[in-house]
Amino acid sequence: MNEVARKLGNAAPPEPHYREAPNNIEAEQALLGAILVNNDAYYRVSDFLKPVHFHEPLHRKIFEVAGDIIRMGKIAHPVTIKTFLPADTRVGDLTLAQYLGRLAGDAVTIINAEDYGRAIYDLALRRALITIGEDMVNIAYDAPLDMPPQTQIEDTERRLFELAETGRYDGGFQTFSDAVAQAIDMAGQAFERDGHLSGISTGIMSLDSKMGGLQRSDLIVLAGRPGMGKTSLATNIAYNIAASYEPEVQPDGSFKAKNGGVVGFYSLEMSSEQLATRIISEQTEVSSSKIRRGDITEADFEKLVACSQMMQKVPLYIDQTGGISIAQLSARARRLKRQRGLDCLVVDYIQLMTGSGKSGENRVQEVTQITTGLKALGKELNVPIVALSQLSRQVENREDKRPQLSDLRESGSIEQDADVVLFVFREEYYVKNQEPRDLNDPKYPEWEQLFEKVKGTADVIIAKQRHGPTGTVKLAFQSEYTRFADLADPSFTQYEEP
């Protein structure tokens, strides 16, 4: 308040014993004056400027009260505003009513209202940067046991990312009207997008028709027993999204994905070379085992070279760090979005990640922390996260090997935190292991008939979906190319569950 009085000319300037936090009281006064004279000035800044961005507490309160009055359809001016502010407030020699009148009287025009608002907002960001820097220095000096240097780096990165995201760092509620506008905008984008999907297309039409694509901020858990093809399906989806990436320039000069998207792939189980080999095999239809052995023809090698040149332009980024923690994963995802953009994250797989590392935590608590962190990260970055998960061994003890949601319970809160749970099930895998050793066995023809029925197919069971129906999608699976695709033969639809 003394600072306001000083800049009004009612107090002597203090001796500059220390550096002052960046602020511009005159810009705050000019903007508030413009709003009091013409309420239209409020709408020029209300989409990005909030009360917390004002340096002077009294100005925060004036801006907040004026905004409330204007949104109610009433006129905000010195007479209507002063009744909602403490009557005994003084600014130097001025009463509150006199100060409000002075603000309105000094206002000349609303033409510069947005410029004043931007100046106030930028200074607020600078003050927030100073706070983050001070905290970083103080914590580094104190060296607390519960915050080692790596943890401090990750925490600082998180805070800087939140500050970089316009309108996010101060948090708070949003009005329902804003949510409705976003929903309508999403519907419009779905109408314009290829396939008319509200989410990001997986590149597999039968799966998209059930899910509407991968929805932003959703945690999609893709689970299955070893050998079912979890990583293959995740790799197929990740590459399909990245390969169909089509950027669209926004009014502010930034890029947004019109189709497809930028994909981040955390491969905790396989190296980036192994993952690339799978994708190349899928795209060129050259067996991955032949690629590894070098058992390829000259024509095959030319196909591999041509495919690799095309794939170098695909925005698919791989992190092969093993045993990564949820904090490290989050920090790297924020960095990727800031530097390259990000539209989808894939994590292969949950059980290979680590939690906070606090002593006394059992594995169930640790996995619970991981899934909760993944869900929060998806909402923060506004991207779908596809997280792979192993299933418990109890599946193998049942006669019916189809996985159920209960098979996830040993892994903490995966079932509760996930928006979508998908199970990959290949009956071919189990039927093949039941092949009679003797070709003359009376059961052999029956086995052969069953094997032909399930050969080359896979079921993706949608066991949970917050936004849509559950059911089973039957896909084609080419094991030699590790590729999932839509079934070309429509007769297989007879096996599809509703």
Side-chain angles (χ1 to χ4, degrees):
M1 198 70 69
N2 291 334
E3 181 67 16
V4 175
R6 180 179 68 79
K7 293 190 176 182
L8 278 172
N10 295 327
E15 291 296 327
H17 294 300
Y18 54 88
R19 286 194 299 181
E20 186 180 5
N23 68 86
N24 190 333
I25 297 296
E26 290 87 349
E28 294 181 7
Q29 292 171 334
L31 176 61
L32 292 175
I35 292 173
L36 294 177
V37 170
N38 188 333
N39 289 176
D40 287 343
Y42 175 78
Y43 292 109
R44 299 193 178 192
V45 298
S46 61
D47 61 332
F48 64 90
L49 194 65
K50 308 300 177 188
V52 71
H53 295 140
F54 286 80
H55 178 67
E56 169 57 42
L58 177 60
H59 292 167
R60 294 179 196 168
K61 189 63 179 175
I62 294 172
F63 185 77
E64 182 180 7
V65 171
D68 292 340
I69 293 173
I70 293 169
R71 284 193 297 270
M72 290 171 62
K74 300 179 181 179
I75 302 298
H77 55 75
V79 176
T80 58
I81 284 181
K82 71 176 183 179
T83 58
F84 297 98
L85 297 170
D88 57 348
T89 302
R90 298 191 67 85
V91 182
D93 297 332
L94 302 178
T95 65
L96 177 63
Q98 290 172 333
Y99 181 62
L100 292 172
R102 177 87 172 260
L103 290 178
D106 289 346
V108 178
T109 177
I110 68 166
I111 293 176
N112 296 326
E114 189 171 352
D115 293 335
Y116 293 143
R118 288 292 179 189
I120 295 167
Y121 180 80
D122 290 345
L123 289 166
L125 291 184
R126 288 172 60 187
R127 292 195 297 273
L129 277 171
I130 290 171
T131 301
I132 294 172
E134 288 175 343
D135 290 345
M136 182 174 64
V137 171
N138 291 334
I139 292 173
Y141 269 112
D142 293 341
L145 293 175
D146 61 343
M147 185 168 279
Q150 187 60 38
T151 303
Q152 186 188 355
I153 292 171
E154 292 162 2
D155 181 66
T156 303
E157 278 193 330
R158 175 187 60 80
R159 293 175 64 183
L160 286 171
F161 177 82
E162 290 173 353
L163 191 60
E165 290 291 290
T166 303
R168 286 192 57 85
Y169 82 96
D170 56 332
F173 292 100
Q174 68 173 135
T175 64
F176 184 66
S177 61
D178 290 340
V180 170
Q182 291 173 10
I184 297 300
D185 184 54
M186 182 186 70
Q189 291 175 3
F191 180 74
E192 296 176 0
R193 189 178 292 130
D194 292 349
H196 301 302
L197 300 172
S198 58
I200 302 172
S201 173
T202 63
I204 303 174
M205 292 177 59
S206 52
L207 195 57
D208 285 340
S209 65
K210 281 276 190 181
M211 299 174 57
L214 305 181
Q215 306 297 322
R216 293 192 178 274
S217 81
D218 271 6
L219 175 59
I220 300 114
V221 172
L222 179 59
R225 290 292 295 156
M228 292 294 105
K230 298 185 303 297
T231 301
S232 298
L233 181 56
T235 305
N236 291 174
I237 291 173
Y239 183 79
N240 290 343
I241 293 172
S244 59
Y245 176 57
E246 183 182 343
E248 186 176 51
V249 181
Q250 301 300 295
D252 61 358
S254 62
F255 289 92
K256 183 178 180 182
K258 181 179 180 181
N259 289 300
V262 179
V263 181
F265 198 115
Y266 290 93
S267 181
L268 284 73
E269 188 176 31
M270 295 191 302
S271 68
S272 57
E273 291 83 6
Q274 291 172 324
L275 204 62
T277 300
R278 283 199 175 200
I279 296 174
I280 291 173
S281 172
E282 173 203 345
Q283 294 298 310
T284 60
E285 295 190 351
V286 177
S287 172
S288 57
S289 61
K290 288 185 176 182
I291 295 175
R292 286 193 297 270
R293 295 196 310 268
D295 183 18
I296 55 176
T297 65
E298 186 175 344
D300 289 338
F301 183 73
E302 290 177 358
K303 287 168 65 177
L304 296 180
V305 172
C307 180
S308 66
Q309 292 173 346
M310 179 191 69
M311 288 171 58
Q312 287 175 0
K313 301 177 182 179
V314 172
L316 175 60
Y317 300 95
I318 301 170
D319 188 323
Q320 59 180 353
T321 308
I324 193 171
S325 69
I326 181 62
Q328 290 172 324
L329 184 145
S330 300
R332 294 179 186 187
R334 294 185 191 104
R335 194 180 308 148
L336 177 59
K337 180 165 186 178
R338 190 169 63 245
Q339 296 175 347
R340 307 280 186 177
L342 184 63
D343 297 288
C344 181
L345 267 182
V346 182
V347 181
D348 182 18
Y349 55 90
I350 290 174
Q351 283 77 16
L352 291 178
M353 293 180 62
T354 59
S356 63
K358 293 180 181 178
S359 58
E361 280 191 350
N362 60 37
R363 185 55 184 163
V364 172
Q365 290 174 322
E366 197 172 16
V367 173
T368 298
Q369 183 187 68
I370 291 168
T371 57
T372 303
L374 288 174
K375 177 59 184 170
L377 180 65
K379 291 186 68 176
E380 178 187 336
L381 302 182
N382 193 32
V383 300
I385 296 182
V386 180
L388 279 62
S389 174
Q390 290 282 16
L391 292 178
S392 62
R393 295 174 183 265
Q394 64 189 23
V395 176
E396 306 298 333
N397 299 328
R398 294 198 303 262
E399 185 176 347
D400 183 4
K401 308 297 184 183
R402 285 178 171 272
Q404 304 167 3
L405 283 174
S406 58
D407 298 325
L408 285 169
R409 285 178 184 165
E410 288 185 2
S411 300
S413 62
I414 293 180
E415 179 185 348
Q416 288 78 15
D417 289 330
D419 297 284
V420 179
V421 176
L422 305 176
F423 293 125
V424 184
F425 175 70
R426 291 197 302 118
E427 193 171 359
E428 175 189 4
Y429 177 87
Y430 293 104
V431 172
K432 188 175 183 179
N433 291 337
Q434 295 168 0
E435 180 181 4
R437 295 183 179 180
D438 187 357
L439 295 178
N440 297 320
D441 190 316
K443 294 183 179 180
Y444 194 89
E446 182 183 349
W447 171 87
E448 191 174 29
Q449 183 180 7
L450 177 59
F451 183 72
E452 286 300 321
K453 176 182 174 181
V454 299
K455 183 180 179 182
T457 66
D459 290 342
V460 176
I461 303 167
I462 305 174
K464 176 185 177 182
Q465 185 174 199
R466 293 193 201 276
H467 321 296
T470 57
T472 301
V473 177
K474 188 166 283 291
L475 301 176
F477 178 66
Q478 296 169 289
S479 57
E480 64 271 31
Y481 310 137
T482 63
R483 179 168 64 192
F484 285 84
D486 291 293
L487 281 169
D489 185 355
S491 65
F492 277 102
T493 57
Q494 61 181 305
Y495 303 117
E496 184 175 338
E497 297 180 9

